[in-house]
Amino acid sequence: MNVEAYMTELGERARAASRVMARADTASKNRALAAMADAIDANRAVLAEANAQDMQNGREKGLDAAMLDRLELTPARIDGMIEGLRQVAALPDPIGGIRDMNYRPSGIQVGKMRVPLGVIGIIYESRPNVTCEAASLCLKSGNATILRGGSEAIHSNQAIAVCIRQGLEAAGLPQEAVQVVETTDREAVGRLIAMPEYVDVIVPRGGKGLIERISTDARVPVIKHLDGICHVFIDAEADRSKALNIAINAKTHRYGTCNTMETLLVDTAVAAELLPELAEHYGQLGVELRGCDQTRALLPGIKAATAEDWDTEYLAPILAVKVVAGMAEAIEHINRHGSHHTDAIITENYTKARAFLREVDSSSVMVNASTRFADGFEYGLGAEIGISTDKIHARGPVGLEGLTSEKYVVLGDGQVRV
Amino acid sequence: MNVEAYMTELGERARAASRVMARADTASKNRALAAMADAIDANRAVLAEANAQDMQNGREKGLDAAMLDRLELTPARIDGMIEGLRQVAALPDPIGGIRDMNYRPSGIQVGKMRVPLGVIGIIYESRPNVTCEAASLCLKSGNATILRGGSEAIHSNQAIAVCIRQGLEAAGLPQEAVQVVETTDREAVGRLIAMPEYVDVIVPRGGKGLIERISTDARVPVIKHLDGICHVFIDAEADRSKALNIAINAKTHRYGTCNTMETLLVDTAVAAELLPELAEHYGQLGVELRGCDQTRALLPGIKAATAEDWDTEYLAPILAVKVVAGMAEAIEHINRHGSHHTDAIITENYTKARAFLREVDSSSVMVNASTRFADGFEYGLGAEIGISTDKIHARGPVGLEGLTSEKYVVLGDGQVRV
């Protein structure tokens, strides 16, 4: 197979399909999503068989337990895909919405219309349900998409692709609106991220290594998600019980998620009161603490935090703890060492809450809430293609709107420039 | 001079200044803009002298007349800079605005706050007044900026930079919020576009060659402006007088601008009626026509358009003319051959107007108005840093809002994830 020619063909077809998708009406898109859900429901046995083949190959290749777990399409996960498709169908259609139509002195009326980005390339790793999730979001937002899943999930992904095509066909939409790359050749990724004539944006979903590699090599814009080094700052005027609850929840609700707290900052005024109690809770939950000198003066048994700890996303039951002289030092620490993902202040002070919200340069900034809320579903986006740590285009959880753009529309009665 | 170390230092300073600028209040930013205007007014003689030196060097280097014209800081252009600064001061401050704060079932309240991008690098060519324009827009939008002007304008730009720093100082803002690169070494550009740790986005302003080079080499996002291959489509149901006025204005109001029409599309139903009259007007104004076969059957004297003509931005008194079978063919032609910049339909038909607005994939889509209106001032943005032909982040004329992003803000009362 000539991978370059194959990818170019996918690109050409996607570009053509994107024109049809851009003008597809809401009812057709929703019909396609419902028909995809039906097709998946009707093909459970086929999906299970394809997945069993991937699982067997994975075991033979020696994939670790975590990877095999992500690869598995359990009946519950198939239910989840079906439910997800129906949920996306129920979301409002973002495309074509017009805002801010204002008359100008020249007599023209100018506003903005929400439009699809065009063709979106999605590159992901083992989880085959991403195929369905990503396809549904791109479809609802009027885009064509080229999906490149992990090679270990190739049979599962191809089986899902058949159901997706059935859904598109049932709704009279072009089957090329969602194309799943059929080769596992890595050259396909290299080509996918370097065809600006056919692909408008790349969304990589996976580990940091994958995302960094793609960002470096891509010749089209990338909506990327790198580290989540999230902070909770307990202010001198924090409510004691809110502080304890949030500090525990933000660290221990789940360890491996990007919105998990990795560093706890505590105002020196309340450190002696709160840290011993917090340490006891963390100890019971098996969380290892690494502290600054002041923290260790209060909690003598714990490890010293090194310079590296402040810049580390543990994704594990480890927490760095630092005592700070006040909010200014906390904000300085967050903006310097954080990853601009999600950071929270716990305080009852109105003025400090307002300043923290404005001055912390992160995609989500919170007052008196757990960092674990930074999530497209919790934010009411209805769905999430990922969380962007970029500053341009989309920041934070990316839903349907992040897969769109706005163009200007101008209505006139024959006006010309004078 | 070690250019790399120098640029790194500018980057570090800009990053530090960007933190102060992000929290600067509206009054301070406006005071700085007013003080810059005053400083420029008070230093007219100094600016004139610095500019005279650039002009003399330019003449000695054999710069052409057009380049020398762009380089010159006439008293009227200095007035324009002062007026521009005062206009930007009068614009609403986009930073800190919060929208769509909604309660979620968990009890948290989620919305979006408009924030600066951080550090913006601007790379431009000979016009020294861009220094002032770009600085004012970046400042008002709460960003720090590093400006790299053309080497031929170095003395003018440095003299303007002194006035800018005076203005920042008078308002108590960090002077490093606007830094003008002091070396003409081209290595400085290479370094500026490859420091993602210090620079968040690059805005190149200049010819297509400059922009393509920067886009290819940049390691940070680029808000770029490439071709403007704009179309006017005269529909079968166009109002005759609107069609004639707009077709003439869109081509002949100015030839060298990106929003000038380069290809005229005419429905076959009205071609015989309109093209001869249009050709007469164009002939009087010295516009050369290049037509498709059907056009030439109606206008036997004109040149044949080649395949290349449909893809060319003339920036000159030349117009490609094509007769099309209807709107579908016009849209197909525009989406295929245009540059997704600005395209207009002339029609009295409601349904066709609505479909054209939705289906044409351009940053500005117009009904019954001249493409020449695609401009930040005409759209009411108050100012314009450029026109983006990108699809992500900002599309079309880019004003203050294009230099900002939105972060999520979350307000809670102690909520945790369950």
Side-chain angles (χ1 to χ4, degrees), chain A residues 24 104 117 249 357-358 360 363 365-368 370 372 378 380 391 393 405 407-408 410 412 414-415 417, chain B residues 24 104 117 249 357-358 360 363 365 367-368 370 372 378 380 391 393 405 407-408 410 412 414-415 417:
Chain A
R104 299 289 310 146
L117 290 175
N249 184 262
L357 283 175
R358 170 122 185 209
V360 170
S363 69
V365 189
M366 303 183 168
V367 179
N368 293 347
S370 170
R372 285 282 296 132
E378 292 295 334
K391 283 188 147 186
H393 190 62
S405 183
K407 69 183 179 190
Y408 284 97
V410 177
Q415 280 83 0
R417 279 287 289 275
Chain B
R104 299 289 309 147
L117 290 176
N249 183 263
L357 284 174
R358 170 124 183 205
V360 170
S363 69
V365 189
V367 180
N368 293 345
S370 171
R372 285 282 296 132
E378 293 294 336
K391 285 190 144 185
H393 190 64
S405 183
K407 68 182 178 191
Y408 285 96
V410 177
Q415 279 83 0
R417 278 289 286 276

Side-chain angles (χ1 to χ4, degrees), chain A residues 75-265:
Chain A
R77 283 185 182 160
I78 294 178
D79 289 345
M81 285 164 53
I82 293 170
E83 180 57 22
L85 285 161
R86 297 200 168 126
Q87 277 172 6
V88 172
L91 291 176
D93 188 343
I95 298 304
I98 296 179
R99 68 172 172 103
D100 298 344
M101 288 298 299
N102 295 312
Y103 278 96
R104 299 289 310 146
S106 61
I108 62 172
Q109 198 185 359
V110 181
K112 285 186 157 187
M113 181 191 281
R114 195 158 286 285
V115 292
L117 290 175
V119 177
I120 300 176
I122 316 238
I123 298 163
Y124 50 106
E125 292 174 329
S126 44
R127 295 198 309 117
N129 28 349
V130 171
T131 306
C132 204
E133 241 175 83
S136 66
L137 292 172
C138 292
L139 188 155
K140 183 77 184 222
S141 54
N143 293 288
T145 180
I146 301 176
L147 298 160
R148 173 42 153 89
S151 57
E152 62 283 1
I154 184 79
H155 299 97
S156 310
N157 288 339
Q158 292 304 329
I160 293 168
V162 171
C163 299
I164 290 173
R165 284 199 296 270
Q166 284 177 14
L168 288 164
E169 199 184 4
L173 293 175
Q175 297 196 25
E176 298 76 21
V178 180
Q179 296 179 100
V180 178
V181 176
E182 290 184 11
T183 170
T184 57
D185 191 322
R186 291 184 63 135
E187 202 190 321
V189 174
R191 179 72 186 134
L192 180 59
I193 64 176
M195 312 192 288
E197 61 281 31
Y198 302 126
V199 177
D200 295 295
V201 62
I202 294 285
V203 183
R205 289 182 54 160
K208 199 175 162 185
L210 172 83
I211 294 171
E212 280 182 339
R213 216 161 49 237
I214 287 170
S215 305
T216 306
D217 295 342
R219 287 191 45 226
V220 294
V222 177
I223 296 178
K224 63 180 170 294
H225 173 198
L226 293 169
D227 296 7
I229 304 178
C230 303
H231 300 74
V232 172
F233 165 54
I234 302 179
D235 176 53
E237 293 170 74
D239 175 87
R240 179 189 165 82
S241 124
K242 291 175 190 168
L244 295 175
N245 288 338
I246 292 172
I248 298 295
N249 184 262
K251 181 69 226 179
T252 68
H253 183 255
R254 274 181 68 187
Y255 294 113
T257 48
C258 60
N259 55 17
T260 296
M261 166 176 65
E262 304 291 16
T263 299
L264 174 67
L265 303 170

Side-chain angles (χ1 to χ4, degrees), chain A residues 15 19 21-26 29 93 95-96 98-99 104-106 108 110 112-119 200-201 216 219 221-223 242 245-246 249-250 253 259 331-332 335-336 340 354 356-370 372-381 390-399 401 404-418, chain B residues 15 19 21-26 29 93 95-96 98-99 104-106 108 110 112-119 200-201 216 219 221-223 242 245-246 249-250 253 259 331-332 335-336 340 354 356-370 372-381 390-399 401 404-418:
Chain A
R15 177 62 77 210
R19 302 227 166 89
M21 292 307 295
R23 59 174 185 263
D25 57 44
T26 309
K29 293 189 285 191
D93 188 343
I95 298 304
I98 296 179
R99 68 172 172 103
R104 299 289 310 146
S106 61
I108 62 172
V110 181
K112 285 186 157 187
M113 181 191 281
R114 195 158 286 285
V115 292
L117 290 175
V119 177
D200 295 295
V201 62
T216 306
R219 287 191 45 226
V222 177
I223 296 178
K242 291 175 190 168
N245 288 338
I246 292 172
N249 184 262
H253 183 255
N259 55 17
I331 293 176
E332 170 66 21
N335 284 340
R336 180 173 304 269
H340 311 287
R354 204 159 166 256
F356 190 89
L357 283 175
R358 170 122 185 209
E359 293 177 28
V360 170
D361 179 26
S362 297
S363 69
S364 289
V365 189
M366 303 183 168
V367 179
N368 293 347
S370 170
R372 285 282 296 132
F373 282 110
D375 173 291
F377 292 92
E378 292 295 334
Y379 283 3
L381 305 182
D390 290 325
K391 283 188 147 186
I392 77 159
H393 190 62
R395 255 189 120 171
V398 179
E401 196 178 292
T404 67
S405 183
E406 286 182 311
K407 69 183 179 190
Y408 284 97
V409 291
V410 177
L411 306 182
D413 303 298
Q415 280 83 0
V416 296
R417 279 287 289 275
V418 287
Chain B
R15 178 60 77 208
R19 301 229 166 87
M21 293 307 296
R23 58 175 186 262
D25 58 41
T26 309
K29 294 189 285 191
D93 187 343
I95 298 304
I98 296 179
R99 70 172 170 103
R104 299 289 309 147
S106 61
I108 61 171
V110 181
K112 286 185 155 189
M113 181 191 281
R114 197 158 283 287
V115 292
L117 290 176
V119 177
D200 295 295
V201 62
T216 306
R219 289 192 42 226
V222 178
I223 296 177
K242 290 175 191 168
N245 287 339
I246 291 171
N249 183 263
H253 183 254
N259 54 19
I331 292 176
E332 170 66 21
N335 285 341
R336 181 173 305 267
H340 310 287
R354 203 160 165 257
F356 190 89
L357 284 174
R358 170 124 183 205
E359 293 177 27
V360 170
D361 180 24
S362 297
S363 69
S364 290
V365 189
M366 303 182 167
V367 180
N368 293 345
S370 171
R372 285 282 296 132
F373 282 110
D375 173 290
F377 292 92
E378 293 294 336
Y379 282 2
L381 305 183
D390 290 324
K391 285 190 144 185
I392 76 159
H393 190 64
R395 255 189 118 169
V398 179
E401 197 177 292
T404 67
S405 183
E406 285 183 310
K407 68 182 178 191
Y408 285 96
V409 291
V410 177
L411 306 182
D413 303 297
Q415 279 83 0
V416 296
R417 278 289 286 276
V418 286

Side-chain angles (χ1 to χ4, degrees), chain A residues 41-103:
Chain A
D41 200 17
N43 287 282
R44 285 172 180 269
V46 178
L47 294 187
E49 196 179 324
N51 188 245
Q53 198 177 337
D54 286 331
M55 290 292 287
Q56 189 183 327
N57 293 349
R59 274 184 223 106
E60 282 165 14
K61 269 192 214 147
L63 296 188
D64 64 30
M67 204 141 173
L68 286 171
D69 174 59
R70 287 197 292 274
L71 182 55
E72 193 173 5
L73 270 187
T74 61
R77 283 185 182 160
I78 294 178
D79 289 345
M81 285 164 53
I82 293 170
E83 180 57 22
L85 285 161
R86 297 200 168 126
Q87 277 172 6
V88 172
L91 291 176
D93 188 343
I95 298 304
I98 296 179
R99 68 172 172 103
D100 298 344
M101 288 298 299
N102 295 312
Y103 278 96

